[in-house]
């Protein structure tokens, strides 16, 4: 079967750095997405990786290693508004989007 | 601004009473999706349309139906809602069904009494 694994919950301090990991086992690979979802709201797009390496976008960066079936989302200079769930999703060989259950990130002052 | 709009934001229905959720988009995207998401779970794809071509996920219950009368609008019909159908329903679009990111509406939170 196809599977995306992410930690259920993480806690970090305002101003700090946090890394959210995602491992996947899918039938083929056609790209990996990270979405942010605040409680009771819809997911919003953060990043897309299809090649190995690091993609940086402001305070957020996303890394991909296809050989390891692994990605992480790095959030720097954490702000209280970053408290949300972070969803990892992978497109498989049929371009089906396989979603993880999300990592709930709690930011403390 | 181009966007995906879902109405209503919150919907309350009674057990067994049909309900329709609506979605519209001004992005002129080819693909429209309906997802069901329960608390702390991954979004679960119910259906998607590539233009007029309807694609039903194998495990989507028959109780759920969808219509896409034109490019801009898509509807989710729940014929006889059960308590287990209480969830957030998310509409999303993408330009194509391959490598493009999804744009989500704000969702409809459905409660079943």
């Amino acid at each position: 079967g196809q599977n995306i694994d992410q930690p259920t919950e993480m806690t970090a301090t305002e101003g700090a750095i946090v890394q959210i990991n995602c491992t996947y086992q899918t039938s083929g690979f056609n790209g990996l997405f990270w979405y942010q979802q605040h409680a009771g709201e819809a997911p919003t797009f953060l990043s897309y990786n299809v090649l190995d390496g690091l993609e940086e976008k402001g305070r957020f960066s996303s890394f991909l290693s296809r050989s390891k079936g692994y990605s992480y989302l790095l959030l720097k200079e954490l702000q209280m508004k970053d408290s949300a769930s972070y969803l990892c999703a992978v497109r498989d060989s049929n371009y089906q989007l396989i979603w993880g259950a999300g990592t709930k990130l709690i930011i403390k002052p | 601004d181009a966007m995906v709009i879902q109405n209503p934001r919150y919907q309350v229905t009674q057990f067994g009473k049909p309900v329709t959720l609506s979605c519209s988009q001004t992005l002129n995207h080819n693909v429209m999706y309906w997802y069901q998401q329960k608390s702390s779970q991954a979004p679960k794809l119910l259906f998607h349309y590539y233009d007029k071509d309807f694609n039903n996920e194998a495990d989507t219950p028959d109780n759920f139906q969808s219509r896409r009368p034109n490019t801009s609008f898509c509807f989710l019909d729940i014929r006889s809602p059960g308590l287990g159908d209480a969830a957030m329903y998310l509409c999303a679009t993408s330009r194509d069904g391959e490598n493009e990111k999804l744009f989500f509406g704000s969702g409809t939170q459905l409660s079943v009494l």
Side-chain angles (χ1 to χ4, degrees), chain B residues 72-92:
Chain B
S72 300
F73 287 88
C74 197
F75 299 96
L76 173 63
D77 301 308
I78 309 176
R79 291 192 296 185
S80 181
L83 299 179
D85 297 327
M88 173 76 89
Y89 289 87
L90 297 164
C91 174

Side-chain angles (χ1 to χ4, degrees), chain B residues 22 31 51 53 62 64-66 68-69 77 87-88 97 100 106:
Chain B
S22 69
V31 192
D51 197 11
D53 292 334
D62 293 340
F64 291 83
Q65 312 250 308
S66 184
R68 188 179 185 187
D77 301 308
M88 173 76 89
E100 296 288 321
S106 57

Side-chain angles (χ1 to χ4, degrees), chain A residues 14-31:
Chain A
E14 190 177 15
I17 299 172
V18 71
Q19 177 174 312
I20 302 174
N21 295 326
C22 169
T23 58
Y24 61 89
Q25 301 89 37
T26 56
S27 304
F29 178 85
N30 276 303

Side-chain angles (χ1 to χ4, degrees), chain A residues 30 35 37 40 42 91 99-100, chain B residues 9 37 42 98-100 102 105:
Chain A
N30 276 303
Y35 283 82
Q37 186 175 26
R91 281 209 188 272
W99 291 86
Chain B
R9 183 73 177 86
Q37 188 181 27
E98 298 189 352
N99 296 326
E100 296 288 321
L102 268 60

Side-chain angles (χ1 to χ4, degrees), chain B residues 8-98:
Chain B
R9 183 73 177 86
Y10 299 94
Q11 176 74 57
V12 180
T13 191
Q14 291 178 335
F15 183 93
K17 185 175 181 181
V19 65
T20 295
L21 309 182
S22 69
C23 177
S24 63
Q25 56 130 341
T26 59
L27 297 162
N28 204 31
H29 282 172
N30 288 321
V31 192
M32 293 188 78
Y33 308 80
W34 279 107
Y35 282 91
Q36 178 195 65
Q37 188 181 27
K38 297 185 178 180
S39 182
S40 301
Q41 295 185 21
K44 178 182 182 299
L45 183 64
L46 298 173
F47 325 91
H48 74 277
Y49 282 89
Y50 194 109
D51 197 11
K52 295 181 180 179
D53 292 334
F54 176 70
N55 297 272
N56 189 29
E57 294 303 299
D59 57 354
T60 298
D62 293 340
N63 196 26
F64 291 83
Q65 312 250 308
S66 184
R67 297 169 281 139
R68 188 179 185 187
N70 54 52
T71 301
S72 300
F73 287 88
C74 197
F75 299 96
L76 173 63
D77 301 308
I78 309 176
R79 291 192 296 185
S80 181
L83 299 179
D85 297 327
M88 173 76 89
Y89 289 87
L90 297 164
C91 174
T93 72
S94 67
R95 195 172 60 175
D96 66 30
E98 298 189 352

